[in-house]
Amino acid sequence: MLTPEQVKDMIEAVTPCEYVEVEGDGHHFFAQIVSSGFEGKARLARHRLIKDGLADKLASNELHALSITVAATPAEWAAKQA
């Protein structure tokens, strides 16, 4: 069973991240991801970037379910925090 920290490490291996927070129970995980790698990408493309990078983990069911609740650029994230 995966921990939130392990899932965080997997996400950070896919794209450089300024901030990642992962919560979950070992089966279902929820991630907030802030990455400059999202610059110029639409929301769906941002999600695909992460999900495609984790495709082998998802296909093998090692990572059962990942919901990306935030996929923001650093500027978007800063604006939300203000």
Side-chain angles (χ1 to χ4, degrees), residues 4-18:
E5 187 63 33
Q6 289 171 308
V7 175
K8 178 182 182 224
D9 291 344
M10 288 179 200
I11 293 168
E12 290 174 331
V14 171
T15 189
C17 299
E18 283 74 14

Side-chain angles (χ1 to χ4, degrees), residues 4 8 11-12 19-23 30-34 69 77:
K8 178 182 182 224
I11 293 168
E12 290 174 331
Y19 174 79
V20 179
E21 182 178 328
V22 177
E23 296 177 357
F30 301 88
Q32 294 183 17
I33 306 166
V34 178
T69 58
W77 182 250

Side-chain angles (χ1 to χ4, degrees), residues 36-54:
S36 54
F38 294 152
E39 294 286 347
K41 290 181 171 50
R43 182 174 178 265
L44 183 58
R46 296 173 185 194
H47 286 240
R48 280 192 183 139
L49 174 71
I50 301 300
K51 298 277 180 105
D52 288 352
L54 300 175

